[in-house]
Amino acid sequence: MRILILSVIVGVVAGLGAALFQTLCQFVTWGTLETWAGYSAPEPTGEPRLFPPGSHTFVPWMLVLITTIGGLISGLLVFCIAPEAEGHGTDNVIAAFHHGRGLIRARVPLVKLLASAITIGTGGSGGREGPIAQIGAAFGSNMARLLRLSVRERRILMAAGMGAGIGSIFRAPLAGAMFSAEIMYRDADIESDVIVPSAIASIIGYATFSQFLPVEFQNQPLFGNQTVYVMSSLWELIPLGLMALVLSGASWFYVRTFYGTVRLTHQLPLPPHFKPAIGAGLAALIGIGLYFLFDRNILALGVLATGYGTLEVALSNASTAGIGLLCAVAFAKIITTSLTISSGGSGGVFGPSMVIGGCLGAACGLFFHHFFPGIVKQPELFAIVGMAGFFAGSARAPISTVLMVSEITGDYGLLLPTLWVSSLCFVLCRGWTLYHCQVESRSESPVHQYDWVPSQLAEKFIKDIKLTHTQVLRVDEPLTRIMHLLTTSHQSVFPVVDHHGALVGRISLDQLLPRLEDQTSWPNTFARDLSLPFAMTLTLETPLAQAISDLAKNADGVIPVIDPDAANHYLGMLTSQQIMGSIHTNHRE
């Protein structure tokens, strides 16, 4: 109940953050691209304009300059204040979940908010989901830390914040809840603990965000209500299956290009602060080149910023764009997104993935409609399904992607073909993923490596059990006395300590056996001469689950416990018998 109540607070903050983020993005666009470059990017039907459109003449070279400056400012913000705000954000949240104990620094949300708004608002190719996911996740993480909640609860609230951010910015609460549970793993696995808290946070975030929209937009999907299509027959599943092959090939190219650009930019002998400017400037040049190549068609500039205006044309009237432009936008969007985000810019990859998948899907739909008009009657249907299939394969998230596309288009009648293509892409794209911090499944996540431990011990530490007080050896103990102890003690391993009680090492029975025959050396041999370091040590704050795992790997069956705050003072020995005793005691209780 405590987690569910806190999820409501996380949802409110995520919704407010989404509203602020969208306002900032539009403000930056209005104050830079529209005012100075004369470029007013088309917006989707369901997204209201918060500032009046500019009436200036479009100046292409000014767009390139503004996008480059935006990349420079974003890079300075990120690399000077919070380097973990670099890139697409969602991968950093996944890494914090699996490997970072759910911890995200408090400064990250503010830096991510500003850097992403500047990157996207000035024309950099990126999506809004990565920044708002990291913003919501960071709030959940830091609230849990301030309330001194457990690591498990902190991870849950962090994931709930991510889901709330996604559900808010896309107005897709169900997809947001599933996204946070599914995106953690590459295989068909989910983080079940986060589904209900994420659902609550996502609903509250969606409701909070909607209050900042004009009344006529509050119940409208992101791409309006005009994208409602139905399959003409089950035969249409065949060309849809063929489209899945095209989407899978494009997904491979996307992931390879994205991370290939990451490696390339890391090799550039330049300060990291300036690399986002280079990437954004090159992306803008590609956009302008495409604009002139297609006879000044404004749809070609969908390769910059979010690209949602071009995507909506693909979803509603694909024939006005044509196969050539749609394919060019899809593949150029891969390049521009890689240049913008992989160079260190701040933005998401889900939004660009929708544009890539939607444009490719629409192109496939037009192609099949030309040759099989009796089977493929609505090419735009392929655009909707393509959005889902492309990201399902690229991000290893088939279910949440199906829900996301259905919610943002308002079209729930295509669940069958969307699930068909998404499943095929998920299988075909098994060898790669956009999110490198994903792990294969729950069984391979550090979060669940101790799931086999009895629940009563899962939250316990070594300080909660009684240690074994063993016979210890001083560093100046002669071998004569040590041999005598062997005849009176049942120990096989003796800890060696100095005169202050600090652990120095160990002497085992195996070490002493070779010296039994040469007794003349005993008086001149001391414990310090024989001592070897322990393979591992533990502290009182070590989780008992980790100690169990370490004992299983230790050949001695015992591990010393020390106090690192008191010069490694030896406290006692942890043994398998003590662990079994604790399990037995908890079982009786």
Side-chain angles (χ1 to χ4, degrees), residues 90 93-94 97-98 133 137 155-167 172-202 391 395-401 403-404 426 435 437-443 445 447-448:
T90 306
V93 177
I94 296 172
F97 183 88
H98 290 301
R155 285 190 174 105
I156 291 175
L157 288 178
M158 186 193 72
M162 177 170 65
I166 297 290
L174 177 57
M178 281 303 301
F179 181 86
S180 64
E182 190 178 32
I183 201 64
M184 302 296 180
Y185 303 105
R186 294 189 185 191
D187 282 347
D189 210 341
I190 61 171
E191 190 61 40
S192 55
D193 288 351
V194 311
I195 292 179
V196 174
S198 292
I200 292 175
S202 187
F391 191 71
R396 317 298 300 150
I399 305 302
S400 58
T401 305
L403 298 174
M404 178 77 72
F426 180 78
Y435 301 115
C437 291
Q438 289 174 326
V439 298
E440 290 296 330
S441 62
R442 286 170 61 95
S443 62
S445 170
V447 177
H448 298 289

Side-chain angles (χ1 to χ4, degrees), residues 279-470:
L282 291 174
L285 287 173
I286 291 174
I288 295 300
L290 211 62
Y291 170 74
F292 284 109
L293 180 64
F294 284 92
D295 197 23
R296 299 175 185 268
N297 191 330
I298 200 71
L299 294 177
L301 291 178
V303 300
L304 302 178
T306 62
Y308 289 165
T310 303
L311 175 59
E312 185 166 45
V313 172
L315 296 175
S316 58
N317 193 1
S319 59
T320 60
I323 294 177
L325 177 61
L326 290 170
C327 289
V329 168
F331 284 99
K333 190 72 173 174
I334 291 175
I335 306 299
T336 57
T337 303
S338 299
L339 288 170
T340 302
I341 309 302
S342 299
S343 62
S346 187
V349 293
F350 179 73
S353 297
M354 288 199 302
V355 177
I356 297 165
C359 289
L360 272 182
C364 288
L366 290 172
F367 176 83
F368 289 121
H369 174 70
H370 178 76
F371 289 100
F372 309 103
I375 297 177
V376 179
K377 297 180 179 180
Q378 296 174 309
E380 292 79 11
L381 178 152
F382 280 66
I384 295 176
V385 176
M387 290 165 57
F390 183 79
F391 191 71
S394 301
R396 317 298 300 150
I399 305 302
S400 58
T401 305
V402 170
L403 298 174
M404 178 77 72
V405 170
S406 298
E407 287 187 285
I408 64 177
T409 60
D411 190 356
Y412 294 91
L414 297 178
L415 288 177
L416 172 63
T418 304
L419 190 59
W420 163 243
V421 173
S422 295
S423 299
L424 287 177
C425 289
F426 180 78
V427 173
L428 293 171
C429 301
R430 185 177 180 84
W432 57 88
T433 176
L434 267 176
Y435 301 115
H436 275 190
C437 291
Q438 289 174 326
V439 298
E440 290 296 330
S441 62
R442 286 170 61 95
S443 62
E444 296 189 26
S445 170
V447 177
H448 298 289
Q449 62 181 326
Y450 303 124
D451 280 358
W452 55 272
V453 177
S455 59
Q456 301 96 326
L457 302 182
E459 294 292 332
K460 288 200 171 187
F461 300 84
I462 290 180
K463 63 184 178 183
D464 297 322
I465 66 174
K466 186 178 180 181
L467 298 174
T468 299
H469 295 288
T470 59

